[in-house]
Amino acid sequence: MDFGLVLQTDPPASRVISLMKRAERNGFTHGWTFDSAVLWQEPFVVYSQILANTTRLKVGPMVTNPGTRTWEVTASTFATLNDMYGNRTVCGIGRGDSAMRVAGRKPNTLARLGEAIDVIRDLAEGREAEVDGQPMRLPWVRDGKLPVWMAAYGPKALALTGRKANGFILQLADPFLTEWMVKAVRDAATEAGRDPDSVTICVAAPAYVGDDLAHAREQCRWFGGMVGNHVADLVSRYGDHSGMVPEALTEYIKGRQGYDYSHHGRAGNPSTDFVPDEIVDRFCLLGPPEAHIEKLRALRDLGVDQFAVYDMHDAQETTIDAYGAEIIPALRD
């Protein structure tokens, strides 16, 4: 199993770079960041410095979207980083939550997202693609490689992931839901004539190492609110008893009253009071190293290839070091 570190690009950028260097020293293979231009600093600028200050770490957004940048700009940015540092980027992409809504726009449609996946990957790898009816190619790309991993929850998005994406990003670490969603992605890949095992499975969730579970829960409760945004979209689209979305995912948002993006992805988010302890425990990895190892082994047995640690809490360095010292070695044995 591979491991990634997920951060927000809060200033100063030097701290983000320092934590990514620490992650590489501790055996992490991927460095991810949020991508929301209003809420945080521009991640692609920071990626250049992360890549310059590491030797093996692969970087990318978790996740970008097709609406905040034109597709040729996104592809060119990835291709430039790859040309400079040797194909060490991954494009995590989704419909767009905070990036679009904070700017007063609606998330992208799945049809637009599916088209963008093909175009961005083709352009970044040197092939011709059509953007808004205009054929184009990046003539300077040589030997470019850009895996595109799609974030998804609902049935139509999971099916699109299986048909088009190189990887699947699932932003929660509940084994029951992981099994359900991984199966949906792989079934869709098979139906599309693809090898289902060729789709990389990445589970991303907060991890907090320590014995004080009450404190750990409070530091990670924000995550249930973030996931709740996506679940609320699913409920509005499919209904909460449609059978299209597992009840285990929809039941907890009944107490949700709204969401303030100014606290998005941050410990102490006041918009997440509705998230019960049970959901925090199911969606996150909390407790001593042994508890993390046990849950990660269960996820690995379900086909998860990478666990990406959301490290937005008051124990960032401690978590990275604990993973490097005890948890990553146990999952690689």
Side-chain angles (χ1 to χ4, degrees):
M1 179 181 273
D2 284 337
F3 288 83
L5 183 72
V6 189
L7 300 173
Q8 295 167 338
T9 50
D10 287 313
S14 58
R15 175 161 174 78
V16 177
I17 296 160
S18 176
L19 289 170
M20 291 298 186
K21 290 167 62 178
R22 192 184 197 109
E24 184 179 64
R25 291 196 303 269
N26 276 281
F28 288 76
T29 60
H30 288 69
W32 304 94
T33 74
F34 283 38
D35 177 17
S36 189
V38 174
L39 296 176
W40 301 288
Q41 292 186 329
E42 172 55 41
F44 287 96
V45 177
V46 181
Y47 295 156
S48 188
Q49 285 299 301
I50 294 171
L51 290 165
N53 283 276
T54 57
T55 58
R56 301 175 307 280
L57 202 70
K58 296 180 180 180
V59 304
M62 191 174 280
V63 294
T64 193
N65 73 86
T68 51
R69 303 177 187 86
T70 61
W71 301 349
E72 70 273 18
V73 169
T74 299
S76 180
T77 305
F78 277 112
T80 300
L81 292 172
N82 284 336
D83 187 66
M84 292 172 68
Y85 299 106
N87 287 338
R88 289 168 56 198
T89 66
V90 180
C91 177
I93 194 167
R95 293 177 60 229
D97 179 31
S98 62
M100 298 298 287
R101 287 181 164 124
V102 166
R105 307 183 185 105
K106 294 181 179 179
N108 297 269
T109 65
L110 287 176
R112 180 173 172 81
L113 175 56
E115 185 181 356
I117 287 173
D118 290 335
V119 169
I120 291 168
R121 182 169 50 209
D122 283 345
L123 290 175
E125 295 185 345
R127 295 183 294 276
E128 183 178 286
E130 190 172 288
V131 181
D132 296 328
Q134 176 66 40
M136 64 180 67
R137 185 175 68 85
L138 305 181
W140 48 268
V141 173
R142 298 290 183 272
D143 302 317
K145 189 67 177 175
L146 183 65
V148 180
W149 297 7
M150 180 176 156
Y153 290 107
K156 292 182 180 179
L158 294 168
L160 178 62
T161 303
R163 291 196 305 270
K164 288 185 176 287
N166 302 104
F168 167 42
I169 297 172
L170 172 58
Q171 292 164 309
L172 54 81
D174 176 67
F176 171 78
L177 292 169
T178 297
E179 182 176 20
W180 184 85
M181 294 185 183
V182 168
K183 182 179 184 302
V185 168
R186 287 185 167 157
D187 285 350
T190 299
E191 291 171 7
R194 304 179 65 199
D195 176 3
D197 293 329
S198 70
V199 182
T200 302
I201 308 296
C202 175
V203 161
Y208 198 104
V209 182
D211 294 323
D212 189 344
L213 283 177
H215 180 74
R217 287 179 183 125
E218 290 311 310
Q219 287 292 304
C220 298
R221 197 174 304 277
W222 62 265
F223 185 67
M226 188 181 85
V227 173
N229 292 332
H230 302 287
V231 176
D233 285 344
L234 295 178
V235 169
S236 67
R237 188 173 299 115
Y238 300 110
D240 55 357
H241 296 292
S242 65
M244 298 287 286
V245 183
E247 189 173 337
L249 188 58
T250 62
E251 185 67 22
Y252 84 98
I253 68 161
K254 290 181 177 178
R256 181 179 182 270
Q257 299 297 319
Y259 192 82
D260 182 354
Y261 279 93
S262 67
H263 304 284
H264 188 59
R266 300 186 186 279
N269 186 336
S271 300
T272 59
D273 292 343
F274 69 95
V275 181
D277 288 350
E278 178 193 2
I279 287 294
V280 181
D281 292 347
R282 289 180 63 172
F283 286 9
C284 304
L285 276 74
L286 312 174
E290 295 77 15
H292 292 245
I293 292 168
E294 180 181 4
K295 191 167 188 177
L296 287 167
R297 283 176 173 158
L299 292 170
R300 184 180 62 183
D301 290 345
L302 295 172
V304 175
D305 300 296
Q306 180 181 147
F307 177 61
V309 176
Y310 277 107
D311 203 26
M312 282 76 77
H313 49 58
D314 64 0
Q316 290 180 303
E317 289 90 349
T318 301
T319 298
I320 294 169
D321 293 346
Y323 264 71
E326 299 185 63
I327 298 167
I328 292 176
L331 271 294
R332 288 193 174 151
D333 288 344

